[in-house]
Amino acid sequence: PLSGVSVSAQPPGGQVALGDLLVLSCAVATGTGPLSFSWHRGGSATPLGTGPRLELHVGDEDSGHYQCRATNGDSTAESPPVQVTVL
């Protein structure tokens, strides 16, 4: 099973100026097989993107909690939420 899903943010701490680029990267500590990723904000079921990286030019509406969900077909794991603050 998958475990140890984590998200790192650039800029660090998830504090990003309005209009600047936010890059979130998802990593999986353990798990095998072809991995697929989806990105979610605030518990929304609709993915913001797929793939191990999410790049956003942030707007007023983009503050909130972001999570990465990883799946290998047999198992799904979610990262802890990362708080993003638009300054």
Side-chain angles (χ1 to χ4, degrees), residues 8-83:
S8 58
Q10 286 293 334
Q15 304 231 343
V16 58
L18 185 66
D20 279 1
L21 183 65
L22 169 72
V23 180
L24 299 176
S25 300
C26 190
V28 177
T30 58
T32 57
L35 295 173
S36 59
F37 299 92
S38 61
W39 292 92
H40 304 271
R41 184 177 75 226
S44 168
T46 306
L48 298 168
T50 55
R53 285 164 59 92
L54 179 69
E55 297 187 12
L56 291 174
H57 287 279
V58 297
D60 290 327
E61 306 295 309
D62 290 324
S63 289
H65 290 91
Y66 288 74
Q67 279 183 294
C68 168
R69 186 175 298 153
T71 181
N72 64 1
D74 297 321
S75 173
T76 300
E78 290 187 351
S79 71
V82 170
Q83 175 67 42

